Amino acid sequence: MRILLMGAPGSGKGTQAGFIAQKAKVSSVSSGDLFRKNLSEKSELGILAKTFMDRGEYVPDDVTIRMVLDWINDPSNTSGFVLDGFPRTLPQAIALDEELGSVDKVIFFDVPNNDLIERLSGRLICRTCQASFHKIFYPSKNGMICDKCPDELYQRDDDKADVVTNRLKVYMQETQPVIQYYAKQNKLITVDGSKSVDEVESELEMALND
Ligand code: AP5
Ligand code: MG
């Protein structure tokens, strides 16, 4: 099963990726997490990506496509996967189709803009496992410590208000056409991502069983 997760910044892709991967019995990866991992290792790719991420812009297609296709072509991922946040430009979607033929399901998390800003401004991320929490909507049981692994939570640099505004603008310009691309292929499953985490999970469970 090859599943793509699409949606605006803060729409809940990362929160639900693990659940979807577990249901589909495949691995999941977030392109944003891959960039952040590269940065923590101080690789050339990570340092390049940071210059774009800090401004809320997309990392250029050539390096992004190469990074994600390398992950997909790893023998442990070839039988299936959940991709969170890739593709988000038309050239990325075309490159993925050229590599794979096609994908099985594209899940689009539909969330109004006002909710997105509220979610991103209160988000906390685990330094080790990258789990995503929210100060109010989805707090860790251990305060500022992750309840999935015992590391501290932090606020992402790109969750600051001015960067968030640009991320949403770039998303509208670059990624809306990709949603249409998959709608035309009849692959798109739209989930009401404005509901609670548990309600979204139930909706996803139904969509995956179809
Ligand atoms: P990335 O890390 O992928 O960021 P993003 O797309 O902006 O998405 P987010 O991670 O912000 O949102 P999410 O949908 O995962 O939300 P979450 O589940 O955490 O990418 C970062 C950067 O990397 C990009 O800006 C770009 O520069 C670069 N990049 C990555 N991929 C690229 C690509 N393909 N091409 C080019 N550049 C790329 O939830 C958000 C918050 O809401 C959390 O606090 C959570 O607890 C809370 N929440 C979640 N669900 C609910 C709910 N149902 N109710 C209430 N609160 C909820
Ligand atoms: Mg995410």
Side-chain angles (χ1 to χ4, degrees):
M1 183 73 88
R2 296 156 168 170
I3 301 173
L4 308 182
L5 307 187
M6 298 197 62
S11 57
K13 305 181 295 294
T15 300
Q16 300 291 351
F19 172 74
I20 297 168
Q22 184 204 330
K23 285 280 154 200
K25 299 188 176 62
V26 293
S27 310
S28 75
V29 75
S30 145
S31 41
D33 286 350
L34 285 179
F35 286 129
R36 282 183 288 275
K37 182 168 177 285
N38 269 280
L39 181 62
S40 69
E41 291 163 354
K42 299 190 169 46
S43 78
E44 217 175 289
L45 171 61
I47 292 161
L48 171 82
K50 184 175 163 43
T51 60
F52 294 92
M53 293 167 83
D54 281 352
R55 295 195 297 259
E57 287 167 13
Y58 286 171
V59 180
D61 281 334
D62 55 345
V63 287
T64 305
I65 291 168
R66 210 175 316 132
M67 174 183 76
V68 176
L69 293 189
D70 279 353
W71 185 89
I72 288 174
N73 289 323
D74 186 285
S76 56
N77 302 322
T78 41
S79 63
F81 50 75
V82 173
L83 284 185
D84 159 0
F86 182 95
R88 47 180 108 182
T89 65
L90 280 175
Q92 291 178 16
I94 291 163
L96 190 65
D97 275 350
E98 281 173 0
E99 183 75 12
L100 299 174
S102 67
V103 295
D104 298 301
K105 293 185 187 219
V106 180
I107 299 173
F108 167 52
F109 292 78
D110 193 12
V111 179
N113 262 19
N114 283 350
D115 290 5
L116 297 171
I117 292 163
E118 223 181 348
R119 286 182 185 189
L120 292 172
S121 62
R123 172 162 65 179
L124 296 168
I125 300 281
C126 173
R127 282 199 191 279
T128 300
C129 73
Q130 310 283 328
S132 185
F133 297 91
H134 192 279
K135 288 173 190 167
I136 297 160
F137 306 138
Y138 194 61
S140 163
K141 293 184 191 83
N142 301 332
M144 286 300 284
I145 303 292
C146 179
D147 59 25
K148 296 180 171 64
C149 73
D151 204 353
E152 65 169 343
L153 305 180
Y154 76 103
Q155 182 175 34
R156 266 170 49 179
D157 284 345
D158 62 347
D159 279 347
K160 292 181 185 128
D162 53 334
V163 187
V164 165
T165 308
N166 199 40
R167 282 165 66 200
L168 292 172
K169 193 174 118 208
V170 172
Y171 167 79
M172 292 301 288
Q173 281 168 354
E174 301 283 337
T175 307
Q176 288 289 345
V178 185
I179 294 167
Q180 299 313 316
Y181 174 88
Y182 287 115
K184 281 191 196 133
Q185 290 189 8
N186 286 324
K187 295 273 159 63
L188 200 69
I189 300 167
T190 300
V191 167
D192 181 355
S194 68
K195 294 182 180 163
S196 72
V197 173
D198 288 347
E199 287 170 317
V200 175
E201 201 174 283
S202 305
E203 211 177 306
L204 285 167
E205 185 151 29
M206 282 194 283
L208 290 168
N209 288 336
D210 268 356

Short mmCIF file of all heavy atoms in Angstrom, two decimals, residues 8-15 30-32 35-36 53 57-59 64 85-86 88 92 119-120 123 132-134 137-138 156 158 167 193 195-197 200, ligand 1:
data_model
loop_
_atom_site.label_atom_id
_atom_site.label_comp_id
_atom_site.label_asym_id
_atom_site.label_seq_id
_atom_site.Cartn_x
_atom_site.Cartn_y
_atom_site.Cartn_z
N ALA A 8 -2.35 21.37 4.49
CA ALA A 8 -1.59 22.58 4.83
C ALA A 8 -0.69 22.35 6.04
O ALA A 8 -0.89 21.38 6.79
CB ALA A 8 -2.59 23.70 5.13
N PRO A 9 0.28 23.24 6.27
CA PRO A 9 1.05 23.19 7.52
C PRO A 9 0.10 23.19 8.71
O PRO A 9 -0.81 24.02 8.76
CB PRO A 9 1.87 24.49 7.49
CG PRO A 9 1.94 24.87 6.04
CD PRO A 9 0.68 24.37 5.41
N GLY A 10 0.29 22.25 9.63
CA GLY A 10 -0.54 22.21 10.83
C GLY A 10 -1.85 21.45 10.66
O GLY A 10 -2.67 21.42 11.58
N SER A 11 -2.06 20.80 9.52
CA SER A 11 -3.36 20.15 9.29
C SER A 11 -3.48 18.79 9.97
O SER A 11 -4.55 18.19 9.98
CB SER A 11 -3.62 20.01 7.78
OG SER A 11 -2.58 19.30 7.17
N GLY A 12 -2.37 18.28 10.54
CA GLY A 12 -2.45 17.02 11.31
C GLY A 12 -1.81 15.83 10.61
O GLY A 12 -1.99 14.69 11.05
N LYS A 13 -1.04 16.06 9.56
CA LYS A 13 -0.41 14.95 8.83
C LYS A 13 0.51 14.15 9.77
O LYS A 13 0.40 12.93 9.85
CB LYS A 13 0.44 15.49 7.65
CG LYS A 13 -0.34 16.37 6.69
CD LYS A 13 0.53 16.86 5.53
CE LYS A 13 1.67 17.78 5.90
NZ LYS A 13 1.26 19.11 6.43
N GLY A 14 1.40 14.86 10.45
CA GLY A 14 2.36 14.19 11.33
C GLY A 14 1.67 13.49 12.51
O GLY A 14 2.08 12.41 12.92
N THR A 15 0.60 14.11 13.03
CA THR A 15 -0.11 13.53 14.17
C THR A 15 -0.72 12.18 13.80
O THR A 15 -0.75 11.26 14.61
CB THR A 15 -1.22 14.51 14.63
OG1 THR A 15 -0.59 15.73 15.00
CG2 THR A 15 -2.02 13.96 15.79
N SER A 30 8.24 11.65 6.99
CA SER A 30 7.88 13.04 6.68
C SER A 30 9.08 13.68 5.99
O SER A 30 10.21 13.58 6.51
CB SER A 30 7.53 13.76 7.99
OG SER A 30 7.93 15.11 7.93
N SER A 31 8.85 14.32 4.84
CA SER A 31 9.97 14.98 4.16
C SER A 31 10.56 16.07 5.04
O SER A 31 11.77 16.27 5.09
CB SER A 31 9.53 15.53 2.80
OG SER A 31 8.27 16.13 2.87
N GLY A 32 9.71 16.76 5.81
CA GLY A 32 10.21 17.79 6.74
C GLY A 32 11.12 17.17 7.80
O GLY A 32 12.18 17.71 8.12
N PHE A 35 14.50 16.43 6.35
CA PHE A 35 15.35 17.63 6.29
C PHE A 35 15.89 17.97 7.68
O PHE A 35 17.07 18.30 7.84
CB PHE A 35 14.58 18.83 5.74
CG PHE A 35 14.33 18.77 4.25
CD1 PHE A 35 13.06 18.95 3.73
CD2 PHE A 35 15.39 18.56 3.37
CE1 PHE A 35 12.84 18.90 2.35
CE2 PHE A 35 15.18 18.50 2.00
CZ PHE A 35 13.89 18.67 1.49
N ARG A 36 15.01 17.88 8.72
CA ARG A 36 15.46 18.23 10.08
C ARG A 36 16.52 17.24 10.57
O ARG A 36 17.46 17.61 11.26
CB ARG A 36 14.27 18.30 11.05
CG ARG A 36 13.48 19.62 10.91
CD ARG A 36 12.34 19.72 11.90
NE ARG A 36 11.25 18.82 11.57
CZ ARG A 36 10.27 19.11 10.70
NH1 ARG A 36 10.23 20.28 10.10
NH2 ARG A 36 9.33 18.23 10.44
N MET A 53 13.73 26.55 4.73
CA MET A 53 12.73 26.27 5.79
C MET A 53 12.57 27.47 6.71
O MET A 53 11.46 27.80 7.13
CB MET A 53 13.16 25.02 6.59
CG MET A 53 13.09 23.77 5.76
SD MET A 53 13.92 22.38 6.52
CE MET A 53 12.68 21.76 7.62
N GLU A 57 9.82 28.72 2.90
CA GLU A 57 9.76 28.39 1.47
C GLU A 57 10.03 26.91 1.26
O GLU A 57 10.60 26.25 2.13
CB GLU A 57 10.82 29.21 0.71
CG GLU A 57 10.41 30.66 0.60
CD GLU A 57 11.55 31.55 0.14
OE1 GLU A 57 12.57 31.03 -0.32
OE2 GLU A 57 11.39 32.78 0.30
N TYR A 58 9.67 26.40 0.09
CA TYR A 58 9.95 25.01 -0.21
C TYR A 58 11.41 24.84 -0.60
O TYR A 58 12.00 25.70 -1.26
CB TYR A 58 9.06 24.51 -1.36
CG TYR A 58 7.61 24.27 -0.97
CD1 TYR A 58 6.66 23.99 -1.94
CD2 TYR A 58 7.20 24.32 0.36
CE1 TYR A 58 5.33 23.76 -1.59
CE2 TYR A 58 5.89 24.09 0.71
CZ TYR A 58 4.95 23.81 -0.27
OH TYR A 58 3.65 23.59 0.08
N VAL A 59 11.97 23.69 -0.23
CA VAL A 59 13.32 23.32 -0.64
C VAL A 59 13.25 22.97 -2.14
O VAL A 59 12.24 22.41 -2.59
CB VAL A 59 13.82 22.13 0.22
CG1 VAL A 59 15.23 21.72 -0.17
CG2 VAL A 59 13.74 22.47 1.71
N THR A 64 14.94 17.70 -3.15
CA THR A 64 13.84 17.08 -2.40
C THR A 64 13.46 15.75 -3.04
O THR A 64 13.29 14.73 -2.35
CB THR A 64 12.63 18.03 -2.37
OG1 THR A 64 13.03 19.28 -1.83
CG2 THR A 64 11.50 17.47 -1.51
N GLY A 85 3.85 14.80 3.46
CA GLY A 85 4.41 16.08 2.99
C GLY A 85 5.16 16.01 1.68
O GLY A 85 5.82 16.98 1.29
N PHE A 86 5.07 14.90 0.98
CA PHE A 86 5.65 14.76 -0.36
C PHE A 86 4.68 13.95 -1.19
O PHE A 86 4.21 12.93 -0.71
CB PHE A 86 7.00 14.04 -0.29
CG PHE A 86 7.67 13.91 -1.65
CD1 PHE A 86 8.60 14.84 -2.08
CD2 PHE A 86 7.35 12.85 -2.50
CE1 PHE A 86 9.21 14.71 -3.33
CE2 PHE A 86 7.95 12.74 -3.74
CZ PHE A 86 8.87 13.66 -4.16
N ARG A 88 4.69 17.98 -2.86
CA ARG A 88 3.94 19.22 -2.66
C ARG A 88 4.15 20.23 -3.79
O ARG A 88 3.77 21.38 -3.64
CB ARG A 88 4.13 19.83 -1.28
CG ARG A 88 5.48 19.97 -0.74
CD ARG A 88 5.42 20.60 0.66
NE ARG A 88 5.71 19.65 1.70
CZ ARG A 88 5.69 19.93 2.99
NH1 ARG A 88 5.36 21.12 3.42
NH2 ARG A 88 5.96 19.01 3.88
N GLN A 92 7.26 17.38 -8.36
CA GLN A 92 7.47 16.26 -7.41
C GLN A 92 6.45 15.15 -7.66
O GLN A 92 6.79 13.96 -7.63
CB GLN A 92 7.34 16.76 -5.96
CG GLN A 92 8.47 17.68 -5.52
CD GLN A 92 8.30 18.21 -4.10
OE1 GLN A 92 7.51 17.69 -3.31
NE2 GLN A 92 9.04 19.25 -3.77
N ARG A 119 -3.09 26.04 15.78
CA ARG A 119 -2.39 24.77 16.02
C ARG A 119 -0.87 24.95 15.95
O ARG A 119 -0.14 24.42 16.79
CB ARG A 119 -2.80 23.75 14.95
CG ARG A 119 -4.19 23.20 15.15
CD ARG A 119 -4.47 22.18 14.10
NE ARG A 119 -5.82 21.68 14.17
CZ ARG A 119 -6.25 20.66 13.47
NH1 ARG A 119 -5.44 20.05 12.65
NH2 ARG A 119 -7.50 20.26 13.57
N LEU A 120 -0.40 25.70 14.95
CA LEU A 120 1.06 25.83 14.79
C LEU A 120 1.66 26.66 15.91
O LEU A 120 2.76 26.37 16.38
CB LEU A 120 1.39 26.45 13.42
CG LEU A 120 1.06 25.54 12.23
CD1 LEU A 120 1.23 26.28 10.92
CD2 LEU A 120 1.92 24.28 12.23
N ARG A 123 2.17 24.40 18.94
CA ARG A 123 2.75 23.06 18.72
C ARG A 123 4.08 22.89 19.45
O ARG A 123 4.90 23.80 19.52
CB ARG A 123 2.97 22.82 17.22
CG ARG A 123 3.76 21.53 16.97
CD ARG A 123 3.63 21.04 15.59
NE ARG A 123 4.24 21.95 14.63
CZ ARG A 123 4.26 21.71 13.34
NH1 ARG A 123 3.71 20.60 12.87
NH2 ARG A 123 4.80 22.57 12.52
N SER A 132 4.49 14.97 17.60
CA SER A 132 3.93 16.31 17.58
C SER A 132 2.87 16.44 18.67
O SER A 132 1.95 15.61 18.74
CB SER A 132 3.32 16.50 16.19
OG SER A 132 2.87 17.79 16.00
N PHE A 133 2.98 17.46 19.52
CA PHE A 133 2.00 17.70 20.59
C PHE A 133 1.46 19.12 20.44
O PHE A 133 1.97 19.91 19.64
CB PHE A 133 2.66 17.56 21.96
CG PHE A 133 3.18 16.18 22.24
CD1 PHE A 133 4.50 15.83 21.92
CD2 PHE A 133 2.37 15.21 22.80
CE1 PHE A 133 4.99 14.56 22.16
CE2 PHE A 133 2.85 13.92 23.05
CZ PHE A 133 4.16 13.61 22.73
N HIS A 134 0.44 19.45 21.25
CA HIS A 134 -0.07 20.82 21.29
C HIS A 134 -0.28 21.21 22.75
O HIS A 134 -0.79 20.40 23.53
CB HIS A 134 -1.38 20.94 20.51
CG HIS A 134 -1.79 22.36 20.28
ND1 HIS A 134 -2.43 23.10 21.25
CD2 HIS A 134 -1.62 23.17 19.22
CE1 HIS A 134 -2.64 24.32 20.77
NE2 HIS A 134 -2.16 24.39 19.55
N PHE A 137 -4.49 21.51 22.79
CA PHE A 137 -5.34 20.51 22.12
C PHE A 137 -4.84 19.08 22.29
O PHE A 137 -5.63 18.13 22.25
CB PHE A 137 -5.42 20.79 20.62
CG PHE A 137 -5.87 22.17 20.27
CD1 PHE A 137 -5.26 22.89 19.26
CD2 PHE A 137 -6.92 22.76 20.97
CE1 PHE A 137 -5.67 24.18 18.94
CE2 PHE A 137 -7.34 24.05 20.65
CZ PHE A 137 -6.71 24.77 19.64
N TYR A 138 -3.51 18.91 22.47
CA TYR A 138 -2.96 17.55 22.48
C TYR A 138 -1.68 17.53 23.31
O TYR A 138 -0.59 17.30 22.80
CB TYR A 138 -2.70 17.12 21.02
CG TYR A 138 -2.46 15.65 20.81
CD1 TYR A 138 -3.43 14.72 21.13
CD2 TYR A 138 -1.25 15.19 20.28
CE1 TYR A 138 -3.21 13.37 20.94
CE2 TYR A 138 -1.02 13.84 20.09
CZ TYR A 138 -2.01 12.95 20.41
OH TYR A 138 -1.80 11.60 20.22
N ARG A 156 9.27 24.48 17.02
CA ARG A 156 10.02 24.57 15.76
C ARG A 156 10.24 26.03 15.38
O ARG A 156 9.36 26.86 15.53
CB ARG A 156 9.23 23.87 14.64
CG ARG A 156 9.64 22.43 14.43
CD ARG A 156 8.74 21.66 13.51
NE ARG A 156 8.41 22.29 12.25
CZ ARG A 156 7.64 21.71 11.31
NH1 ARG A 156 7.14 20.51 11.53
NH2 ARG A 156 7.37 22.33 10.19
N ASP A 158 10.28 27.33 12.52
CA ASP A 158 9.37 27.79 11.45
C ASP A 158 7.92 27.86 11.92
O ASP A 158 7.02 28.09 11.12
CB ASP A 158 9.53 26.94 10.18
CG ASP A 158 9.19 25.47 10.37
OD1 ASP A 158 9.07 25.03 11.54
OD2 ASP A 158 9.05 24.76 9.36
N ARG A 167 4.51 30.20 4.99
CA ARG A 167 4.30 28.77 4.70
C ARG A 167 2.90 28.54 4.14
O ARG A 167 2.72 27.76 3.20
CB ARG A 167 4.49 27.93 5.98
CG ARG A 167 5.95 27.72 6.34
CD ARG A 167 6.12 27.24 7.76
NE ARG A 167 5.59 25.91 8.01
CZ ARG A 167 5.29 25.45 9.22
NH1 ARG A 167 5.45 26.21 10.29
NH2 ARG A 167 4.83 24.23 9.35
N GLY A 193 -10.22 17.42 8.76
CA GLY A 193 -9.15 17.49 9.74
C GLY A 193 -9.40 18.49 10.84
O GLY A 193 -8.56 18.66 11.73
N LYS A 195 -11.81 18.23 13.01
CA LYS A 195 -12.36 17.54 14.18
C LYS A 195 -11.25 17.18 15.16
O LYS A 195 -10.07 17.40 14.87
CB LYS A 195 -13.07 16.27 13.70
CG LYS A 195 -14.30 16.54 12.85
CD LYS A 195 -14.93 15.23 12.49
CE LYS A 195 -16.16 15.40 11.63
NZ LYS A 195 -16.52 14.13 10.98
N SER A 196 -11.63 16.57 16.29
CA SER A 196 -10.62 16.22 17.31
C SER A 196 -9.69 15.13 16.76
O SER A 196 -10.04 14.44 15.79
CB SER A 196 -11.30 15.72 18.58
OG SER A 196 -11.83 14.44 18.33
N VAL A 197 -8.54 14.95 17.40
CA VAL A 197 -7.57 13.94 16.96
C VAL A 197 -8.24 12.56 16.89
O VAL A 197 -8.09 11.84 15.90
CB VAL A 197 -6.34 13.91 17.91
CG1 VAL A 197 -5.42 12.76 17.57
CG2 VAL A 197 -5.58 15.24 17.84
N VAL A 200 -10.73 12.37 13.92
CA VAL A 200 -10.02 12.27 12.63
C VAL A 200 -9.51 10.84 12.46
O VAL A 200 -9.62 10.24 11.38
CB VAL A 200 -8.85 13.29 12.56
CG1 VAL A 200 -8.04 13.10 11.29
CG2 VAL A 200 -9.36 14.72 12.65
P1 AP5 B 1 7.00 19.87 7.37
O1 AP5 B 1 7.74 19.52 8.59
O2 AP5 B 1 6.38 18.80 6.58
O3 AP5 B 1 5.93 21.00 7.76
P2 AP5 B 1 4.48 21.30 7.15
O4 AP5 B 1 4.09 20.73 5.88
O5 AP5 B 1 4.44 22.76 7.21
O6 AP5 B 1 3.54 20.53 8.04
P3 AP5 B 1 3.56 20.52 9.58
O7 AP5 B 1 4.53 19.50 10.07
O8 AP5 B 1 3.73 21.94 10.07
O9 AP5 B 1 2.06 20.12 9.90
P4 AP5 B 1 1.37 18.71 10.13
O10 AP5 B 1 0.30 18.59 9.11
O11 AP5 B 1 2.37 17.59 10.22
O12 AP5 B 1 0.69 19.00 11.52
P5 AP5 B 1 0.89 18.28 12.94
O13 AP5 B 1 0.38 16.88 12.88
O14 AP5 B 1 2.26 18.49 13.48
O15 AP5 B 1 7.95 20.71 6.40
C1 AP5 B 1 8.76 21.74 6.93
C2 AP5 B 1 9.50 22.45 5.81
O16 AP5 B 1 10.34 21.52 5.12
C3 AP5 B 1 8.61 23.05 4.71
O17 AP5 B 1 8.13 24.33 5.07
C4 AP5 B 1 9.62 23.12 3.56
O18 AP5 B 1 10.52 24.18 3.72
C5 AP5 B 1 10.39 21.81 3.73
N1 AP5 B 1 9.74 20.70 2.98
C6 AP5 B 1 9.16 19.59 3.51
N2 AP5 B 1 8.67 18.81 2.53
C7 AP5 B 1 8.94 19.43 1.35
C8 AP5 B 1 8.67 19.15 0.00
N3 AP5 B 1 8.00 18.03 -0.35
N4 AP5 B 1 9.09 20.03 -0.94
C9 AP5 B 1 9.78 21.13 -0.62
N5 AP5 B 1 10.06 21.49 0.66
C10 AP5 B 1 9.63 20.64 1.64
O19 AP5 B 1 -0.18 19.13 13.81
C11 AP5 B 1 0.04 20.50 14.05
C12 AP5 B 1 -0.42 20.87 15.47
O20 AP5 B 1 -1.82 20.66 15.60
C13 AP5 B 1 0.22 20.02 16.57
O21 AP5 B 1 0.42 20.82 17.67
C14 AP5 B 1 -0.85 18.93 16.87
O22 AP5 B 1 -0.77 18.47 18.19
C15 AP5 B 1 -2.14 19.71 16.61
N6 AP5 B 1 -3.22 18.89 16.08
C16 AP5 B 1 -3.09 17.89 15.15
N7 AP5 B 1 -4.31 17.36 14.89
C17 AP5 B 1 -5.20 18.07 15.64
C18 AP5 B 1 -6.63 18.00 15.78
N8 AP5 B 1 -7.37 17.11 15.08
N9 AP5 B 1 -7.22 18.86 16.63
C19 AP5 B 1 -6.48 19.78 17.32
N10 AP5 B 1 -5.13 19.88 17.23
C20 AP5 B 1 -4.51 19.02 16.40
#
